[in-house]
Amino acid sequence: LLLSGTIALVVRFAGPVFNGPAVTTLVVQGNLQHVPPAAVRAAVLPLVAGKGFFRIDMHAAKSAVESLPWVASVRVRRSWPHTLYIRLVEEVPVARWNDAGLLDAQGKVFVHGDVSGYNALPQLAGPQDAAQDVLADYNAFASLTHKRGLTITQLDVDARGAASVQLANGIRVRLGREDAQQRLERFATIALPAADMNSPTSTNANSPISPGEPNQATAAAAIAIEPKPAMPSNQRRTPPRPGNNKSKQTIRTSKPGKLIEAPMAATLAT
């Protein structure tokens, strides 16, 4: 009986000791522009209220803050005897996604809503579950065009995987599904300079034009690379001149009757 009473007293008074002192202070840290500290406190307080220092579920507190919009990463730590510190890093948007979303550098859609304040970011569009793939395509295309002073303001990938890009000068290039990077590189190397020299509807590729608001003179200048039509079988072919074995490539602009021909190492199918 005496032993039972002793055990009961130990259990009764040891509980508060094992729980530790109550947490009474919550400190939110970080360079916060989009995450209100009040929202962080509201997410964490239900998990720490009435809990002792040693009984706080640190993983649950971290997950609760990570679920908030604009939160990229969270670190939670305790400081004896009454304080819980939460340091967080906000997301950095790199592109707009479909109708109302923002993407981070990993292709995560972290905002669904009004993104009108981010018109300077490139506009990416594609199937809802393909954000990472579309962003990877954009990065690959942008690395090609940047070397030639061109800026991609929009990339669209349809359900079949066919891609098209719009440049800052208003020109839109249809790349198709296969060999899109090679097509874009050939376009920037050969087709675009030819269009600039021959077509009055083209402007300098470095012209500063805001995304979504192309220059009116070039808004309709959609350029597609198409194979040159085959010559009828009953028409005699003229033998190529010696030393000239390059095939010809026809570049069509949207201006009626305006065709520009530029030499191309290989024909490209649309």
Side-chain angles (χ1 to χ4, degrees):
L1 182 61
L2 180 60
L3 179 60
S4 303
T6 301
I7 294 175
L9 289 174
V10 170
V11 172
R12 177 179 178 183
F13 292 103
V17 174
F18 290 135
N19 288 336
V23 173
T24 58
T25 303
L26 177 62
V27 179
V28 179
Q29 300 174 316
N31 183 17
L32 306 182
Q33 298 182 8
H34 302 91
V35 181
V40 178
R41 294 189 180 95
V44 173
L45 284 179
L47 302 174
V48 302
K51 300 289 183 64
F53 186 85
F54 300 115
R55 298 297 299 273
I56 293 176
D57 188 336
M58 304 288 282
H59 178 73
K62 181 175 181 291
S63 298
V65 179
E66 285 177 336
S67 66
L68 297 175
W70 283 94
V71 174
S73 63
V74 180
R75 181 184 176 189
V76 181
R77 68 179 181 89
R78 291 171 287 203
S79 179
W80 182 266
H82 304 291
T83 305
L84 184 68
Y85 286 91
I86 297 180
R87 177 177 291 276
L88 58 90
V89 176
E90 288 189 346
E91 294 278 14
V92 177
V94 299
R96 293 172 290 158
W97 175 246
N98 285 337
D99 296 330
L102 292 176
L103 288 177
D104 65 11
Q106 287 70 47
K108 170 188 172 185
V109 184
F110 64 91
V111 166
H112 298 272
D114 182 17
V115 295
S116 57
Y118 297 89
N119 290 337
L121 295 177
Q123 174 68 59
L124 309 186
Q128 290 295 340
D129 59 349
Q132 290 184 339
D133 294 335
V134 175
L135 180 62
D137 288 342
Y138 169 82
N139 288 333
F141 297 156
S143 67
L144 294 175
T145 57
H146 179 73
K147 294 183 295 185
R148 307 191 181 281
L150 304 175
T151 300
I152 297 176
T153 60
Q154 185 172 339
L155 167 62
D156 297 294
V157 179
D158 64 21
R160 301 181 302 109
S164 63
V165 299
Q166 181 163 318
L167 304 178
N169 60 6
I171 292 177
R172 190 169 187 84
V173 186
R174 297 188 294 273
L175 301 173
R177 298 174 57 187
E178 304 295 335
D179 301 324
Q181 292 187 40
Q182 290 85 343
R183 292 187 178 198
L184 183 59
E185 186 169 21
R186 291 172 185 171
F187 170 82
T189 304
I190 300 176
L192 186 59
D196 283 340
M197 291 186 295
N198 293 279
S199 174
T201 63
S202 297
T203 61
N204 191 315
N206 295 317
S207 300
I209 300 175
S210 301
E213 298 177 359
N215 187 296
Q216 292 299 318
T218 63
I223 293 182
I225 301 179
E226 299 179 348
K228 189 173 182 180
M231 185 178 296
S233 57
N234 60 353
Q235 184 175 347
R236 180 176 299 177
R237 296 178 178 270
T238 303
R241 281 183 274 180
N244 183 9
N245 58 359
K246 292 184 178 180
S247 61
K248 285 283 188 173
Q249 194 67 359
T250 298
I251 303 164
R252 178 184 297 169
T253 69
S254 60
K255 185 175 181 180
K258 183 67 176 179
L259 292 177
I260 306 170
E261 290 190 56
M264 182 70 71
T267 57
L268 304 177
T270 54

